């Protein structure tokens, strides 16, 4: 059985002590492809470096809503660097993570929207999908996606378990990526949302080192734990773990054009 972790942050400082050791163990645990997701200029560069070193790791590059600079001038410079990186490196599989986050940042909503729209343009220019982060910004996120065509669509990463969001995202042609929260005992709507998402639109991810799934909640997460998300989906959909692994692997390869 092979597993594809469609979103992890192996560049995070929480892996500084044992990053190489963990990466060496992944294939033995069945994780044979992995996306290292950029969220800032620095992390995007680190994701690129990891992907150069390991053939089964693929980077995304982007500026997340939680990493927007203070001024538009700084933002334009960052976005131009992101564009150049994605133009020059054929291994980059998406622009992201991008989006809106009104939980952590409410004072710069307009800059967040501008950054998201500009990065959609970069993705369209380069025929890449986008990876979307949205938190407490569902309506504005959907408004942008309904107004601004995304040629290659993309993924709602660690998708909020909001049935209305999922319904609209699916209508727009996006994939839904499930992470640790679907396994939490107090997670609302998890079963409903998993049931809503057709097999051909579902992905699995860890968002490592964050959001460890049950039964490891509270510990540092890493890509080996993606199997717990797959197990939850298998249980809810009434199919085998192997089938979930196969379907989500194929879906990830499809959206990332591998």
């Amino acid at each position: 059985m092979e597993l594809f972790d469609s979103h992890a942050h192996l560049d995070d400082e929480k892996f500084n002590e044992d990053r190489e050791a963990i990466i060496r163990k992944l294939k033995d645990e069945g994780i044979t492809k992995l996306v290292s997701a950029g969220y800032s200029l620095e992390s995007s560069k680190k994701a690129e470096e990891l992907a150069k070193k390991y053939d089964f790791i693929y980077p995304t590059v982007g500026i997340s809503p939680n990493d927007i600079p203070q001024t538009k001038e700084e933002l334009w410079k960052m976005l131009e660097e992101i564009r150049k990186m994605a133009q020059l490196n054929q291994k980059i599989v998406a622009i992201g993570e991008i989006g809106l986050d009104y939980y952590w940042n409410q004072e710069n909503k307009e800059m967040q929207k501008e950054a998201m729209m500009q990065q959609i343009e970069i993705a369209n220019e380069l025929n890449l999908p986008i990876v979307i982060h949205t938190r407490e910004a569902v309506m504005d996120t959907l408004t942008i996606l309904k107004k601004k065509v995304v040629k290659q669509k993309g993924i709602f990463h660690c998708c909020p378990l909001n049935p209305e969001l999922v319904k609209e995202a699916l209508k727009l042609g996006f994939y839904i990526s499930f992470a640790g929260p679907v396994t939490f005992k107090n997670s609302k709507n998890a079963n409903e949302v998993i049931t809503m998402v057709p097999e051909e639109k579902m992905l699995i991810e860890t968002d490592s080192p964050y959001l460890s799934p049950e039964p490891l909640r509270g510990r540092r997460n890493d890509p080996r734990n993606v199997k717990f998300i797959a197990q939850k989906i298998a249980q809810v959909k009434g199919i085998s773990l192997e089938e979930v692994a196969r379907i989500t692997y194929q879906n990830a390869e499809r959206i990332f054009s591998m």
Side-chain angles (χ1 to χ4, degrees), residues 162-172 176 196:
N162 177 322
E164 191 60 28
L165 167 66
V166 171
K167 182 173 81 171
E168 294 301 316
L170 291 170
K171 276 188 197 173
L172 290 166
I176 304 298
M196 284 175 66

Side-chain angles (χ1 to χ4, degrees), residues 21-199:
I22 286 173
I23 291 172
R24 283 196 298 270
K25 292 173 184 173
L26 293 181
K27 286 189 178 179
D28 291 338
E29 297 279 344
I31 294 90
T32 55
K33 282 187 180 173
L34 176 147
V35 168
S36 187
Y39 55 86
S40 65
L41 199 52
E42 182 185 6
S43 74
S44 295
K45 288 175 179 176
K46 288 179 178 176
E48 264 200 309
E49 289 303 313
L50 277 174
K52 283 178 188 172
K53 194 168 182 182
Y54 298 98
D55 62 349
F56 69 103
I57 295 178
Y58 297 82
T60 73
V61 294
I63 309 298
S64 88
N66 296 317
D67 294 272
I68 303 291
Q70 294 292 316
T71 69
K72 283 191 176 182
E73 289 74 17
E74 291 175 284
L75 178 61
W76 304 149
K77 284 180 185 175
M78 284 184 180
L79 295 184
E80 189 51 38
E81 283 207 58
I82 292 295
R83 175 186 279 107
K84 285 178 183 173
M85 290 165 72
Q87 280 175 330
L88 293 172
N89 187 346
Q90 295 300 306
K91 204 177 179 188
I92 288 169
V93 292
I95 300 298
E97 56 188 276
I98 69 174
L100 306 176
D101 191 321
Y102 299 165
Y103 178 83
W104 290 113
N105 299 288
Q106 293 210 11
E107 73 289 343
N108 65 346
K109 289 182 180 180
E110 293 310 309
M111 281 274 280
Q112 289 187 45
K113 292 176 190 176
E114 189 64 33
M116 181 178 180
M117 290 189 287
Q118 290 294 327
Q119 289 180 99
I120 289 172
E121 287 190 11
I122 293 170
N124 285 344
E125 177 191 328
L126 301 176
N127 284 311
L128 289 170
I130 59 173
V131 178
I132 300 168
H133 169 112
T134 184
R135 188 169 184 189
E136 296 194 7
V138 167
M139 292 309 297
D140 282 355
T141 302
L142 289 172
T143 297
I144 288 172
L145 295 175
K146 287 174 181 178
K147 276 175 29 183
K148 203 161 185 67
V149 173
V150 184
K151 285 184 188 175
Q152 298 301 325
K153 305 303 180 183
I155 300 157
F156 273 81
H157 116 80
C158 191
C159 189
L161 300 176
N162 177 322
E164 191 60 28
L165 167 66
V166 171
K167 182 173 81 171
E168 294 301 316
L170 291 170
K171 276 188 197 173
L172 290 166
F174 283 78
Y175 288 71
I176 304 298
S177 184
F178 294 112
V182 297
T183 70
F184 296 171
K185 289 168 185 169
N186 62 347
S187 188
K188 293 179 181 177
N189 304 324
N191 289 11
E192 179 185 356
V193 169
I194 290 170
T195 302
M196 284 175 66
V197 178
E199 291 180 1

